Structure formats: C-alpha cells, structure tokens
Amino acid sequence: MARTSAFLLLSALLSVFAPVDALWPQPRDITTGSSALKLSGGFDITIAGSVHNAPLDLHQAVERANAQLRSDKLERLVVGRGDADKGALSKAKTLSKLTLSLEKGATAHTITSEAQKPIEARDEAYVLDVPADGSGATLTANSTLGLFRGLVTFGQLWYQSGSTTYSIEAPIHIKDSPAYPYRGYMLDTARNYFPVSDIKRAIDAMSWVKINQFHWHIVDSQSFPLEVPGFLELSQKGAYASSMVYTAKDVQDVVSYAGARGIDVLVEIDTPGHTSVISKSHPEHIACAEATPWATFANEPPAGQLRLTSNETTQFTADLLVAVSKLFPSTMFSTGGDEINANCYDQDPETQKALNATGQTFLQALDSFTQVSHAALKKAGKTPVVWEEMVLSFNVTLAPETITLVWISSADVQAVAQKGFKLIHAASDYFYLDCGGGGWVGANPDGNSWCDPFKTWQKSYSFDPVANLTADQAKLVLGGQHLLWTEQSSPSNLDPISWPRAASSAELFWTGPGQNISTVLPRLHDLSFRLQQRGIHTIPLQPLWCALRPGACDLTA
Amino acid sequence: MARTSAFLLLSALLSVFAPVDALWPQPRDITTGSSALKLSGGFDITIAGSVHNAPLDLHQAVERANAQLRSDKLERLVVGRGDADKGALSKAKTLSKLTLSLEKGATAHTITSEAQKPIEARDEAYVLDVPADGSGATLTANSTLGLFRGLVTFGQLWYQSGSTTYSIEAPIHIKDSPAYPYRGYMLDTARNYFPVSDIKRAIDAMSWVKINQFHWHIVDSQSFPLEVPGFLELSQKGAYASSMVYTAKDVQDVVSYAGARGIDVLVEIDTPGHTSVISKSHPEHIACAEATPWATFANEPPAGQLRLTSNETTQFTADLLVAVSKLFPSTMFSTGGDEINANCYDQDPETQKALNATGQTFLQALDSFTQVSHAALKKAGKTPVVWEEMVLSFNVTLAPETITLVWISSADVQAVAQKGFKLIHAASDYFYLDCGGGGWVGANPDGNSWCDPFKTWQKSYSFDPVANLTADQAKLVLGGQHLLWTEQSSPSNLDPISWPRAASSAELFWTGPGQNISTVLPRLHDLSFRLQQRGIHTIPLQPLWCALRPGACDLTA
C-alpha cells in the first residue's frame, strides 16, 4: 500500500496506522509502502564513481551517516517497542547499499561552499529512493548540499530492535526541497558564554533538522568574546575572562564545522546600541557607558551606545565590521540596529555638541552612520541584515537587498513587507526560546519575563509565514528561526531549552505551513529520542506512556 | 568590624559591601568580621576524640567536606574576581583545622538515624566558630545531624583565588537551627523515569541547601518503576522497561545515600487515584482502566483508580502500602489521595454494584478504604501523609497526627489549618517547578501549562508560610517544598529546571520568611556557581556581567 504526501490524507492515515515514520522535517513529497526492510550487516553508503573529485566533507558526511546507522539504536515508540515488528521482519528483504550521485552535468563542490552561497542560490533539493526488493537505494541531487540533506533524511528512516536496523515502510520514494531558503537558529553568546563544544553540539542538532543558518549573536553590551584581528583589545578588555574568548581559530573551527553540515554562519555585531562593552577598551567611542539608572539609558544593563555622530567612531565601527566579516565566509552580515536608546544620546554632551554643530537630528546621524558601515560591508562582499527598527522606527536608508529580522512582534511583518524588504521571521511572540522563564533583572520580586508566556512548540509550529501578506509581499519572506537570548541560559540548559522546540520552526520553514498540528507529535517524539541517542539533551514532551501510544494523550482521546 | 544577623541591617550593609558571603541558607544567627583568613595547605577537618564511636557516615561526611574545600574552586563574584582580595590576603592568618565535637552528654548516632527520626524530633542545630587569629575553628552540635549541617555551612565560607582558599569575613560566629522542621523537594519518577545516578545528584544538591526531606513520588498511573517484595508483578508489568525499575537494592542505595546526607525519604504510593498502571498486573483492582476519553475519567491520561468498594482491593492496597513502607525507614508515608475522579466510580459497574449492595456513598467507601490503609501503616509505625483533598474535599476520617500536603492553592492552607491538621506547603501557585513550560497533552495547539506562569525563585522566596493563620494555626506548619512533576522532564532538564530555584524554598523554610528579597540575589549566584562546581547543572539567573556586579542590574540601579 502506497500513501501520498497529501497532508490531510497523511494525517488521516497516521491516526489509523500505529507506525509513524521518524522523519523531521517531513519531506515535501513522499510515498511509502508497508513492507519491512532490514539493513544488511555490511550495509554501506558509497559515493558513485560518476561523482568526480567528491569533496572531503562529503566523504566525511557519508562516514558519519554510516556510523549513525549503527549507533542510533532508536526503538520504535510503540507499546512493546520493536517486538511489534518481529513478524514483519521475518520476511523482510535486506538493503545492502545506498549510492549517492549527482545529477548529470553537476559538479561536486564541497558541501561547505554550497552551504555558504547566497541564501537564495543554495540548492538543497534531493531525490531518495529506497526500494523494498533488496536492490540498492539511491540518493541523487544537483549539489553536494542536496546530497547532505538527503543523507540526513536517510538516517531518519530506520528503527532498531535488538541488532536489527529496519524500516516498515518500504518502498520509500522522496523528492524533497525546502519551502523557504532560510531556516535558522540564533544563539547569543554575550550574556553568558558558551564553549565551542556546546556550539558544535547545537550545530549538530541544527543539521539533523535541516536548519541551514546559524545566526551567531556573538557580542553584546555585557561581553565581547570575539577575538578580532586588528582589534584584540576588544576581547582582551571586554571578554568575561581570557578563557571565555572565541579566537580566530575557534571561529574558523565553528564555521567549518557548520559548513560541513550544510550550515552557513551569519554573524552579528549589533550596532550602534548593545555596545557598552566597547567602552572597556575604547571609552571615546561609547556614549552613556554604564550610566545609571540603566533603565533610563538602555533596555538592559549595562547602558552604552556607539557615538554615531563621531567620524572617528563611525570609521572605527566600519573597520571593525569589515575585520569581523573577514572571519565569516557568509554572504550575509548582521549589523543589528535594535533597541537604540534616544535618551542615551540626548544626555551625551559629545553627541549633542556634534548634532548642534552639524544641525543634524539623531535620526539623520544614524542614517549616515549606518550608510558608512553598510557601504564598507558591501565593498567586502556582504549583504546587510538588520533588526526591524532600522526599517520601521528609524527609517534608515538601506540598500534594497538588505534583509530584515522581525523580532518585536509578528504583527510587524506586514509593515516590513510593505516597505519592500526581504525578511526573516524571528518574532518574540512565536520564536523566542527564552520567554516565560522568569525575569532576570534584580530587585524585581514579581517579575516574569517580558515576553511571557513560554512559546510552546505548538505555538511556533502553527505560525503562518505569510499571514496578512499579498502574494507579492509573500515572496519577500526568506524563512525564519528560533532564537535563544541567554540572560538565563548557559551550557546547563542550552539543550533542554532549545530541543526539540526549535525543530518546530525547522519543519515549518522546510515543509511549509498548514500541517495538521494534532498529528505531528509522534514524529516529534521520534526526533527527540533520536537526538538524545546522538547526544542532544532534549526534553520529553510527554510522559513516556503517551510517547509509546500515539494519540492516546490527545485531549480528545 | 562585626555585623549582626539582623536582616535589615545585613541588607543595608550588603548594598555597601562588595563582598557577599556565599552562605545558603542564610544562618539564623551570624556575626562576621572583615579580616581575611586562608586555609593552610594541610588544612584538615577532624572529629574530636571526645566523640566516642563516631559513626562511619560522619567520617565520610568529613572526608567529602575536606575534598570539596580543595575541589570547589569558587572564585568571588566581583569584577576582577580574586584579584580584589590580594591585598587583604597578603596579611591574612592561616586556619589549619576545624574540629567537630558533640555537646557534653550527647551520644554519637549515625547522621542517617538522626535524619530519619520523626520530623519534629530531628535536631539540626549547630554552632560554628571560625576565629580570625589562626587558632582552630570549632563546630559543635547536639547530634551528628547538626554537625553535618554545620559542615555544609563551613564548606560555603570559602572562595578560591589561584591556589588560595580564603574568607574575607573572619572571624565568623554562627549559631544556627532551622525555622521549620520540614524542608523538602519532591520528584515524580513515574511520568518519566530517572536513573538512580540522577536521583543521587538531586540528593547532593538538596543536602547542600540543607533540605532534609526527599519526597519521592515514585509511581503513578503511567508507570510503576518500584520493585516491591511480594508484589513483583507490579513493576514487571507496569514499569516502562525492565531497565527502568528501582530494585529493592536501588531503593536501599538511595535511602542510605540520602540518610548519610541528612535527608529522610518520604515515599508516596498515591491511592486510590493515580493507579491506572496497577491494571496491567491486577485488572480486578482498577476501575475505568485506560477508559476513553480519558478527560472524563481522570485529570490526566491514563484513567484508572483502585476499586475502593472491594474488600479484596482494600486489603491488596493496605498490604502493598505496608510492603513498600518496609523499604523506607522514614516515620512518614504518603498515601496520596489527590484528584479522585467520581465519574470513574459512577461508570464502573462493579463499584456501583458494591455501593448499591451496602448502601454506602462513594465518600463513605473512600473513608473506609482509607482507614484500612492508614491503620495498617500505623501498625507498621508510619505517620500518614495525604494531599489536601483528603481533608478538604472528601472529609475522610484521618488520625490527628496525619500530615497534609497543600498543593492546589496556597489559598487552601487556612482551611486545612482550621481543621487542625499539620501541613506542608507545596502549593502549585508558589512551588511547582514544572509550571509555565507549555501544555503536554496532545492535540492541544494553544495549550500552556495549567499552572502558568513559571514560578520564579523570587515568587517562592517571597511566600509567607503563616499568611492568614492564627498563632495557634501557625504551629501546624511543618515547612514546605518545591515539587517537580515530570510530564516534560527527564535527566535532560532535571538540574536546570530545579536549581537554583528550589534553593529558594530551602532558605525560606530554614531561615524563615521576611528576608529582603532585593538583596539575596548575590548569595544565590554564589550558591549557583558553587553547585556548578559540584556537578549540578544550575542555570545562570543573570548575565555574568550582573553576577559580577551585585546590584548593578537591579531595576532601580
């Protein structure tokens, strides 16, 4: 029996079918059968001879995929676990190989270079065929990046019972490609520091749900953990400790680890706000540095913003951004631009003097300041990314290719689109992982987090990326991401606060919106347990009793 | 300069003093000086010769305390960390020993046996003297349990900088004892399973904040992970897996691990509700087992309650409780009694038949059922503990010594006290660690957790244990606890969801209410970082920038 990829039909079947496949994100076009199929003991993934000069990162991806097939040990989430499948397995055929090949005429570049292409130029499509008759499985794509996505899918097809690795849904045919080109995850490493090993674990998790963009909010007012060639004083004076610095070598390590896993790294140096820490080494560039009471000068402590009226500060900023941009091969670079506090500049004598001297307003100065930075970045080959205020509040002159991150509210998406800018969904009311965990400013006994309540996976999963947009405006939506601001996070809770929740946006922006949320939980359980097998400390979304009985804990059950 | 333990004065001083001591809970009577004092390289904790037959668990506690002084490596949370103290340390005297002794006439029993005494008979008081002049420090108490509490305090007095372990607040004189005899932490191991190693880590954390009661909600409707001698079928059929069972040996291991750390284990076998899983081995005892739709038969899936009208079921229950009680030396035993669903019994033909035959109402049957269980437990030497419905909703006949856990709302405390029952604060509106994390029942796209919002540490810390109680009623308050229900918890988030939050009730019920919440955060940071040094994955409560600058991130700063 074959079933189609039509989602309503799929949903209907899932409620009858005890078996659920463990794919996440759900491929956009899939047909499956109902035959059991086992991997042979010597099962191997190989790259076809027709792929000339297969790159090292593809070979390594194949090696990891081969190893995971042996180490995942994911049992089926049903009562009795794998026992339920013993009968079917006794008659199962055996699969002994998967062969990867590129479409005719395609050239084998590294996964890394394919992943680091401009966001809309990346080709992540693939076709995966797993016959039920024991003949070899095939994975084809136009790019090594597509092959990598297909490998991740292949790795999710299998359950284990005893020493048998198997599927009960062969034959499987998948033709897949993402609905949106940008599927991200943002981590703030400035409020609290995360060692490289934790970032790599986060990248692993991202890659296993086909996230293709790591948005690294690497520095902020609280600390400057990035070693920038030519600006070593920033981290020397501004990191929390010398052991809490990302060296240029660390950055290269993270970037290449991500690249080999199909992920581009979008770095953010937030300007002109969120820069207090620069005052530690360059007091001349920062207005209202650590001014008190902080709440009148900034949205969070410590206060401090770049003196955007100063030519020296403007040049310093442009030079810094360009120096940082050289560490990151991505074609995008975020200059931030959120939460600029006007009072900070109102109270800064130097800024006021400059404004008076030139007759400029604060907004005119911000416009000039930003244009210098963006021009320098453009010269360095980068497309600027900004937070929504730059478009909606400050009306800064921005190049038409500028990409906007909508964070304050999903209600602001329409206004950004109306201005004609490409945009990334990152709204706090759907995608902030830190909401609902209690306020963190001190002497605030009754404070809950500003963006209460907690954003459940169901909430982000049910987001509509094109709500209130015209068809033309909808084309401006590049995708979206979950975000973790780390005022109350550290390696201690990085995994449980993120996973499997952040996988909900990964599927939303890969598979597309409109899935039936009531039926996806069993697949999300499978993903969560598989991530655990691979070292990600995901939380359980339900008691195991429920996870073993798809649907039994539904409100209507 | 000496400062007294008057809390308002202390608060005032803390706001001037950069240094904050790292004690948690705050001792009830403390004076400190402002001299630096270093531990000598050969520093040792010893038990005075006058302590005859010092028990093994005291020797082991001393050994652990000695080791922690070397391994904690907690730097002071100020800008520049230990560097700020270099001047003071250059002139510091050296402390070379701490001597433990019992008050004259006291006998050295094991910590374990002292910890397992009836709740109001435990003696946790101690006196700790750390002179500034280099002469030996002393710790005295009436019991080994008091010595253990004092050892924990001593272990929190020290910071490390380079290879120097030191205090900057000598001399230190502490005379301490708890405000409330019951300070607990509850863990549910039935919704999701926790290996013994995780439970032991939780016990470690409890012991370091002087929690003296581990309330182990060990089984529930979803799984029965407890191996009970004489009732092996319950775990064989009812555990999630054979690897997810606490054997009698595991229980003994947990109980003695806790006992050696001054913690008694209160086990709970919830009856007659929350027992669905018993139907796996004893379908005859369970009404409405896994009946659907579950929401009409139970507060959570799966439905199922003991057939309290059946003599066989009543006897089975009493026998089971007694068999379990033999595994746990505590003088208390919780029979639960929450969330009994009347409809389950209304729809159960056997229950209705029995009620009709005897002319009893459901509440009369519940009364008889409970009396049989409680009489059997009393015979086994146990004081029953029940959830509040047994007192407030079902008006069950309970022995006057019965202890009530108030969970539904802190507003119910007064009513329980009016009925004259001793009570433990466990209210969901203050102490539930799982609130605010999203709903877990399936097919519920908009669901947040029923007890939203998240209960911040500030919320529980500001709880008033005697609100709305007369002076006589206030005497019924034994203490309180945080609780973790684990529908969405596992070893992955056990630590970050619990710590340091659960320490707030530990201090509330040790030190007593009414502390100035605005000034405690620096101490809580110290505790959190020390727990991290000891392997507990606590979350940061603020950006490190704030933790290093006490008060700087206060709303008013």
Side-chain angles (χ1 to χ4, degrees), chain A residues 293-294 440 492 538 542 554 557, chain B residues 293-294 440 492 538 541-542 554 557:
Chain A
W294 62 260
W440 60 268
S492 292
T538 66
Q542 293 190 316
D554 286 2
Chain B
W294 62 260
W440 60 268
S492 293
T538 67
L541 294 171
Q542 292 190 316
D554 285 1

Side-chain angles (χ1 to χ4, degrees), chain B residues 27-365:
Chain B
R28 295 178 73 205
D29 188 342
I30 176 171
T31 57
T32 61
S34 56
S35 296
L37 180 67
K38 297 188 282 194
L39 292 191
S40 73
F43 175 84
D44 197 20
I45 306 175
T46 56
I47 301 170
S50 62
V51 180
H52 297 297
N53 301 316
L56 180 62
D57 60 7
L58 182 61
H59 280 289
Q60 289 172 335
V62 164
E63 224 168 273
R64 288 196 307 273
N66 260 323
Q68 277 163 357
L69 290 170
R70 270 109 190 143
S71 60
D72 269 6
K73 301 191 194 310
L74 180 69
E75 291 183 280
R76 257 219 306 138
L77 286 169
V78 292
V79 175
R81 313 303 293 257
D83 290 351
D85 303 322
K86 274 190 177 155
L89 285 174
S90 65
K91 303 177 291 262
K93 303 274 187 187
T94 295
L95 181 70
S96 60
K97 68 173 177 181
L98 167 69
T99 306
L100 275 54
S101 53
L102 288 174
E103 299 287 353
K104 214 172 158 169
T107 310
H109 300 290
T110 60
I111 297 170
T112 304
S113 63
E114 298 283 355
Q116 293 169 351
K117 280 185 176 174
I119 189 78
E120 289 166 289
R122 299 177 202 168
D123 188 341
E124 305 181 85
Y126 66 93
V127 174
L128 177 62
D129 257 306
V130 182
D133 63 2
S135 59
T138 59
L139 170 60
T140 55
N142 277 313
S143 72
T144 55
L145 182 59
L147 290 177
F148 179 75
R149 300 288 178 237
L151 268 180
V152 168
T153 301
F154 185 82
Q156 292 179 337
L157 294 176
W158 312 98
Y159 294 103
Q160 188 148 350
S161 177
S163 59
T164 307
T165 304
Y166 67 99
S167 166
I168 49 169
E169 299 185 290
I172 300 165
H173 178 79
I174 293 172
K175 187 174 183 315
D176 202 10
S177 64
Y180 289 93
Y182 185 110
R183 305 171 311 281
Y185 173 91
M186 194 215 77
L187 180 66
D188 157 17
T189 56
R191 272 56 179 253
N192 281 300
Y193 178 81
F194 293 77
V196 167
S197 59
D198 293 287
I199 295 176
K200 285 183 170 178
R201 196 173 66 257
I203 288 170
D204 283 339
M206 293 179 220
S207 76
W208 295 326
V209 294
K210 299 188 171 68
I211 285 175
N212 69 347
Q213 199 69 44
F214 170 36
H215 176 186
W216 194 354
H217 184 88
I218 196 166
V219 300
D220 206 298
S221 273
Q222 290 81 2
S223 74
F224 201 103
L226 176 62
E227 181 186 281
V228 185
F231 296 81
L232 300 182
E233 69 279 10
L234 289 170
S235 53
Q236 282 163 355
K237 298 272 178 72
Y240 280 139
S242 57
S243 60
M244 294 185 173
V245 169
Y246 305 110
T247 64
K249 192 158 163 287
D250 288 335
V251 168
Q252 196 180 16
D253 187 17
V254 168
V255 165
S256 61
Y257 192 89
R261 284 152 184 84
I263 296 169
D264 181 45
V265 182
L266 163 60
V267 70
E268 174 164 311
I269 304 291
D270 205 345
T271 60
H274 290 271
T275 48
S276 177
V277 71
I278 292 176
S279 70
K280 300 289 183 195
S281 50
H282 291 281
E284 69 278 14
H285 292 317
I286 302 298
C288 69
E290 304 193 9
T292 56
W294 62 260
T296 62
F297 295 96
N299 278 24
E300 18 178 292
Q305 301 181 166
L306 286 163
R307 284 200 167 107
L308 37 64
T309 51
S310 151
N311 290 334
E312 291 72 24
T313 300
T314 303
Q315 192 56 47
F316 166 85
T317 304
D319 292 347
L320 171 63
L321 298 184
V322 168
V324 173
S325 82
K326 296 195 164 139
L327 298 172
F328 293 87
S330 177
T331 62
M332 297 181 286
F333 188 103
S334 173
T335 60
D338 58 317
E339 299 186 316
I340 304 173
N341 184 295
N343 186 54
C344 169
Y345 292 128
D346 286 349
Q347 306 291 323
D348 183 49
E350 296 203 28
T351 300
Q352 289 309 308
K353 197 173 136 192
L355 289 177
N356 288 335
T358 59
Q360 275 189 316
T361 64
F362 148 62
L363 288 181
Q364 287 168 328

Side-chain angles (χ1 to χ4, degrees), chain B residues 250-517:
Chain B
D250 288 335
V251 168
Q252 196 180 16
D253 187 17
V254 168
V255 165
S256 61
Y257 192 89
R261 284 152 184 84
I263 296 169
D264 181 45
V265 182
L266 163 60
V267 70
E268 174 164 311
I269 304 291
D270 205 345
T271 60
H274 290 271
T275 48
S276 177
V277 71
I278 292 176
S279 70
K280 300 289 183 195
S281 50
H282 291 281
E284 69 278 14
H285 292 317
I286 302 298
C288 69
E290 304 193 9
T292 56
W294 62 260
T296 62
F297 295 96
N299 278 24
E300 18 178 292
Q305 301 181 166
L306 286 163
R307 284 200 167 107
L308 37 64
T309 51
S310 151
N311 290 334
E312 291 72 24
T313 300
T314 303
Q315 192 56 47
F316 166 85
T317 304
D319 292 347
L320 171 63
L321 298 184
V322 168
V324 173
S325 82
K326 296 195 164 139
L327 298 172
F328 293 87
S330 177
T331 62
M332 297 181 286
F333 188 103
S334 173
T335 60
D338 58 317
E339 299 186 316
I340 304 173
N341 184 295
N343 186 54
C344 169
Y345 292 128
D346 286 349
Q347 306 291 323
D348 183 49
E350 296 203 28
T351 300
Q352 289 309 308
K353 197 173 136 192
L355 289 177
N356 288 335
T358 59
Q360 275 189 316
T361 64
F362 148 62
L363 288 181
Q364 287 168 328
L366 175 62
D367 195 53
S368 312
F369 172 87
T370 306
Q371 287 197 53
V372 172
S373 287
H374 282 201
L377 285 169
K378 187 175 184 172
K379 211 173 145 193
K382 305 294 181 180
T383 301
V385 177
V386 295
W387 294 106
E388 64 171 284
E389 292 101 310
M390 295 296 278
V391 172
L392 299 181
S393 312
F394 308 130
N395 205 21
V396 168
T397 309
L398 298 166
E401 69 271 20
T402 305
I403 297 166
T404 306
L405 291 154
V406 178
W407 73 275
I408 296 175
S409 167
S410 56
D412 297 342
V413 167
Q414 190 184 31
V416 170
Q418 278 168 350
K419 294 213 169 191
F421 287 103
K422 291 182 184 174
L423 63 92
I424 295 164
H425 290 295
S428 59
D429 49 336
Y430 281 87
F431 301 115
Y432 271 28
L433 294 163
D434 50 310
C435 298
W440 60 268
V441 295
N444 183 24
D446 303 321
N448 282 306
S449 75
W450 69 272
C451 53
D452 261 351
F454 182 86
K455 309 309 171 207
T456 65
W457 72 265
Q458 297 96 325
K459 172 88 179 171
S460 40
Y461 194 83
S462 61
F463 179 74
D464 179 358
V466 296
N468 305 317
L469 300 185
T470 66
D472 273 352
Q473 288 168 351
K475 292 176 191 157
L476 297 169
V477 177
L478 293 177
Q481 63 185 14
H482 270 86
L483 306 92
L484 181 59
W485 301 103
T486 60
E487 285 87 354
Q488 297 196 319
S489 283
S490 71
S492 293
N493 64 342
L494 174 62
D495 289 16
I497 206 171
S498 299
W499 306 106
R501 242 189 326 156
S504 63
S505 61
E507 173 153 307
L508 174 67
F509 293 108
W510 177 283
T511 313
Q515 317 303 328
N516 182 343
I517 193 169

Side-chain angles (χ1 to χ4, degrees), chain A residues 12 21 57 67 83 133 161 226 253 257 300 368 381 392 422 437 444 446 448 480 510 531:
Chain A
D21 55 30
D57 60 7
D83 289 352
D133 64 1
S161 177
L226 175 62
D253 187 15
Y257 192 89
E300 8 179 303
S368 311
L392 298 182
K422 291 182 185 176
N444 184 24
D446 302 321
N448 282 307
W510 177 283
L531 291 181

